[in-house]
């Protein structure tokens, strides 16, 4: 669907843990005539969805295969370890990878963290998803290291999490097909980057000429020399030495 057609929508994909609400709310205020359709997609499938035309843009977790895609890295997440509330790790404010050396740590198939060496001991299985891994942690079978947003997404009352200071981190990015950078995509990029509605890439280009009248006040400084010049004769008249005060006579020479 092209930008010029009626009934158009903007399709925005997002992976688990990403909350696009704040950007969608700004979109609704600025472009109310184009609704946003949100498409929840597993992290491993977002690239394929974009390449197949299933969404106009999407939030992904890096790294991804960037072939044919434009990518804007946005923010880096804290990495945390999810543990049962009665686990020893829960007593600490933060831990290191070395602190997990003796624990079994699950590595789900949808893990997006790039590990040079995975923490802890390999668990007895690799769960298909992070959600499955969280259930296993709750059963006491091991621990799980994930981006903090995923720990929040899968929060359970019997689990908690702590930052892992020296673990690799996950980065969230905005991505879209490079050959499909439409006006609507440009609009969304501007919103994500925090551009105002009156910026050069905003949706209200007609507002730009309003800045032209700002040149008018430039005439004000030119009036100052004129005023000073007008006051100068008055100052000379009141303080010149040759002026004789009223009622005062000049002294003549006395006759001897």
């Amino acid at each position: 669907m092209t930008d010029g057609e009626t009934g158009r929508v903007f399709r925005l994909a997002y992976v688990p843990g990403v909350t696009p609400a704040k950007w969608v709310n700004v979109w609704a205020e600025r472009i109310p005539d184009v609704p946003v359709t949100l498409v929840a997609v597993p992290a491993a499938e977002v690239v394929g969805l974009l390449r197949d035309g299933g969404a106009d843009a999407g939030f992904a977790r890096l790294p991804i295969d960037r072939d044919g895609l434009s990518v804007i890295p946005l923010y880096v997440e804290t990495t945390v370890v999810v543990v049962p509330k009665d686990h020893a790790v829960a007593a600490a404010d933060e831990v290191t990878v070395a602190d997990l050396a003796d624990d079994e740590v699950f590595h789900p198939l949808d893990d997006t963290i790039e590990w040079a060496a995975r923490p802890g001991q390999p668990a007895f299985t690799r769960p298909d998803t992070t959600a499955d891994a969280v259930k296993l942690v709750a059963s006491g079978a091991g621990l799980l290291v994930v981006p903090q947003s995923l720990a929040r997404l899968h929060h359970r009352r019997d689990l908690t999490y702590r930052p892992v200071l020296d673990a690799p981190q996950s980065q969230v990015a905005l991505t879209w097909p490079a050959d499909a950078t439409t006006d609507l995509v440009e609009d969304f990029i501007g919103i994500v980057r925090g551009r105002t509605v009156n910026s050069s890439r905003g949706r209200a280009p007609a507002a730009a000429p309003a800045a032209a009248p700002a040149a008018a006040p430039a005439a004000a400084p030119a009036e100052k020399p004129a005023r000073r010049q007008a006051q100068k004769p008055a100052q000379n008249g009141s303080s010149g030495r040759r002026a004789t005060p009223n009622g005062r006579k000049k002294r003549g020479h006395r006759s001897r």
Side-chain angles (χ1 to χ4, degrees):
M1 183 174 295
T2 63
D3 287 355
E5 295 180 22
T6 59
R8 56 186 176 160
V9 298
F10 183 71
R11 300 161 302 164
L12 179 64
Y14 66 101
V15 298
V18 176
T19 305
K22 62 180 179 180
W23 297 298
V24 172
N25 289 339
V26 175
W27 177 282
E29 293 175 359
R30 295 187 185 178
I31 317 174
D33 58 319
V34 181
V36 175
T37 297
L38 294 176
V39 183
V41 59
E45 299 177 15
V46 64
V47 168
L49 180 74
L50 291 169
R51 287 179 177 155
D52 292 341
D56 299 296
F59 291 105
R61 291 186 182 278
L62 301 181
I64 59 173
D65 181 0
R66 300 193 181 198
D67 185 29
L69 298 177
S70 294
V71 178
I72 300 177
L74 298 177
Y75 58 89
V76 175
E77 286 197 66
T78 299
T79 300
V80 302
V81 57
V82 180
V83 301
K85 283 190 172 180
D86 59 356
H87 193 279
V89 166
D93 293 330
E94 54 196 23
V95 298
T96 64
V97 170
D99 294 327
L100 309 177
D102 296 330
D103 290 286
E104 290 188 9
V105 179
F106 291 107
H107 183 221
L109 296 176
D110 64 354
D111 185 16
T112 58
I113 298 177
E114 281 197 311
W115 294 101
R118 293 174 190 148
Q121 302 296 320
F124 68 92
T125 185
R126 288 198 65 183
D128 290 335
T129 67
T130 297
D132 293 335
V134 169
K135 294 176 183 178
L136 290 171
V137 173
S139 72
L143 311 182
L144 174 65
V145 180
V146 291
Q148 182 170 304
S149 66
L150 290 179
R152 290 174 175 170
L153 177 65
H154 300 290
H155 172 71
R156 291 175 52 121
R157 296 173 63 181
D158 53 350
L159 300 179
T160 188
Y161 59 85
R162 294 293 182 268
V164 184
L165 297 181
D166 54 350
Q169 295 176 309
S170 173
Q171 187 169 27
V172 173
L174 176 65
T175 181
W176 67 95
D179 59 357
T181 308
T182 65
D183 288 344
L184 292 180
V185 171
E186 288 283 9
D187 289 332
F188 192 73
I189 292 169
I191 289 172
V192 171
R193 284 183 159 173
R195 296 185 191 131
T196 65
V197 69
N198 293 323
S199 68
S200 60
R201 297 195 184 189
R203 292 288 292 183
E223 296 177 2
K224 293 183 178 180
R227 284 199 294 267
R228 286 198 298 267
Q229 187 174 4
Q231 294 171 356
K232 193 169 183 181
Q235 293 173 353
N236 289 343
S238 61
S239 60
R241 294 182 179 178
R242 296 181 181 179
T244 303
N246 293 335
R248 182 176 178 182
K249 298 180 180 180
K250 294 183 179 180
R251 292 184 179 182
H253 291 285
R254 293 183 180 181
S255 56
R256 295 183 181 238

